Amino acid sequence: MGPYSVEIETIDGYEVCLLRDEGAGSEAWVVLEIGANCFRFRVKVGDRWLEIIDPPPSLEELKRSPSGYGNPVLFPFPNRIRNGTFTFEGRTYHLEKRPGWQHSIHGLVYTRKWRVLKTEKEDGAAVTLRFDSREHPDVMGQYPFPFVADLTYSLKGWVLEVGFRVENVGEGRMPMGYGLHPYFRAPISPETPPEKCLIRIPARKLWVLEDYLPTGEVIPVDERRDFRTPRPLAGAELDDVYTDLIYEDGLSRCFIDDTVAKLRTVVEAERVFRELVVYTPPRGGAICFEPYTCPTDAPNLAAKGLDVGLIVLKPGESFEAKVLFKVESYE
């Protein structure tokens, strides 16, 4: 593996950080202005590149639909917050909503610019990006819990690690949740039919949803949504919040198995990611495996007394977690 490189280039008018492992044949592209979204992760198989993360047609399209492609970063809460409001320690907070939407969605950092903190190219290609909420009055106005978040993409071989660290730099307690919303090509090879592509979801239960929001009830996975044993992607229509995940060596492992190309995309997440949203976008050809530290609408569920994994950081406390996107070749 190696040599490794980290370069900043302008693509479609946007500043993009390119991570490369030339020896292994892998690349990751991160756009700073649009939420530090890793909008392309690809590997070289023989003489052609195969996309692992489903990229947007252009960065202009990603700007228009910042949660529709690539790897949107969801913080301080993943997915939706009912009516864009939540109450914490006796105070009610109002979050921004998309025009015409009833609920807020996907947090406050996936549309905003991050800045480069440092790069590394000795033992892999890596970039650390920073978002300091104190530099964004529009964020502080709706979520007045000052934080500094660092996001590190590390590429080595056919493995992309996504590391996240956030620190409460305010004077009060800070409620939070964190998640990723990666879109993966499925099947991996464009020649593979969906019935020859298997997916695995290591989860025993589901949150019951109404209008995409959990009611608070959890039920066992039904036959249609039970992918503990790998099943074909063909015909799967999913937009669900899974829970009671199955961990092996402290990690949950989802995968896409392209049985024709003999390639597997694996998503490994630590135990702190207790929920998993799985979504098949209507455009087809992709699936989202979204590790979350808490379910959709966690602050409002927690206010009802439910154990949803809402994280509360004391002043000076920090939270760290990582997720791995791995590509494996087999015969």
Side-chain angles (χ1 to χ4, degrees):
M1 292 182 288
Y4 310 106
S5 64
V6 181
E7 300 173 354
I8 304 294
E9 298 186 7
T10 300
I11 298 176
D12 294 344
Y14 294 90
E15 195 174 26
V16 173
C17 183
L18 273 62
L19 310 178
R20 292 190 175 98
D21 180 339
E22 295 182 13
S26 59
E27 296 183 344
W29 302 20
V30 182
V31 57
L32 308 186
E33 186 176 332
I34 313 174
N37 188 320
C38 181
F39 66 95
R40 167 166 273 160
F41 170 38
R42 62 183 187 174
V43 300
K44 197 169 188 180
V45 180
D47 59 356
R48 70 168 181 165
W49 289 96
L50 291 177
E51 305 286 357
I52 303 304
I53 284 180
D54 193 35
S58 68
L59 289 181
E60 277 301 317
E61 179 59 29
L62 182 63
K63 183 71 173 178
R64 286 190 291 270
S65 180
S67 64
Y69 301 91
N71 179 50
V73 177
L74 314 183
F75 185 85
F77 303 114
N79 215 298
R80 291 162 174 79
I81 299 294
R82 184 184 295 273
N83 298 321
T85 65
F86 70 94
T87 300
F88 178 70
E89 296 185 340
R91 180 178 171 184
T92 299
Y93 300 89
H94 301 271
L95 304 176
E96 65 185 22
K97 295 184 284 187
R98 295 176 181 174
W101 283 56
Q102 180 181 355
H103 312 297
S104 62
I105 188 167
H106 295 334
L108 301 172
V109 301
Y110 76 106
T111 60
R112 292 176 167 86
K113 185 174 183 177
W114 296 56
R115 57 184 171 86
V116 175
L117 186 65
K118 63 180 179 179
T119 61
E120 170 67 41
K121 52 186 177 182
E122 295 301 319
D123 188 29
V127 61
T128 298
L129 306 165
R130 172 163 287 184
F131 188 96
D132 187 335
S133 70
R134 295 168 298 185
E135 299 171 359
H136 298 266
D138 55 338
V139 173
M140 288 297 298
Q142 53 192 307
Y143 181 77
F145 304 93
F147 66 85
V148 175
D150 291 342
L151 184 71
T152 301
Y153 289 105
S154 303
L155 179 69
K156 187 175 182 179
W158 285 6
V159 179
L160 179 64
E161 178 180 304
V162 188
F164 181 78
R165 181 184 187 276
V166 64
E167 181 179 349
N168 177 359
V169 295
E171 298 179 354
R173 286 158 36 97
M174 183 180 95
M176 58 149 284
Y178 166 65
L180 296 174
H181 191 337
Y183 290 75
F184 296 101
R185 280 279 173 90
I188 301 171
S189 169
E191 287 83 28
T192 301
E195 57 268 20
K196 297 293 185 179
C197 180
L198 307 179
I199 59 174
R200 178 180 187 250
I201 304 170
R204 303 179 186 92
K205 296 180 180 178
L206 292 159
W207 288 90
V208 175
L209 305 180
E210 290 181 2
D211 190 25
Y212 303 102
L213 296 163
T215 64
E217 183 183 0
V218 173
I219 60 173
V221 290
D222 53 36
E223 182 178 358
R224 180 178 70 84
R225 294 173 291 185
D226 186 355
F227 287 83
R228 287 173 290 180
T229 298
R231 289 167 47 193
L233 172 67
E237 294 183 6
L238 303 169
D239 193 355
D240 296 282
V241 185
Y242 287 83
T243 191
D244 192 12
L245 304 187
I246 298 166
Y247 299 94
E248 304 162 292
D249 302 322
L251 301 172
S252 67
R253 292 184 173 89
C254 305
F255 66 66
I256 300 159
D257 190 351
D258 187 320
T259 63
V260 175
K262 303 295 184 184
L263 292 171
R264 183 180 292 124
T265 299
V266 184
V267 180
E268 292 186 350
E270 298 172 318
R271 192 178 289 272
V272 70
F273 295 98
R274 43 171 283 171
E275 265 73 38
L276 180 72
V277 170
V278 181
Y279 171 56
T280 51
R283 66 176 178 266
I287 190 170
C288 299
F289 292 136
E290 309 175 39
Y292 286 8
T293 62
C294 59
T296 303
D297 200 31
N300 290 313
L301 294 174
K304 296 178 180 179
L306 296 176
D307 176 15
V308 292
L310 184 71
I311 297 168
V312 179
L313 297 181
K314 298 176 183 177
E317 277 192 331
S318 61
F319 165 83
E320 295 186 47
K322 67 180 179 181
V323 177
L324 297 181
F325 304 156
K326 305 169 69 173
V327 184
E328 302 171 349
S329 176
Y330 65 92
E331 292 298 333

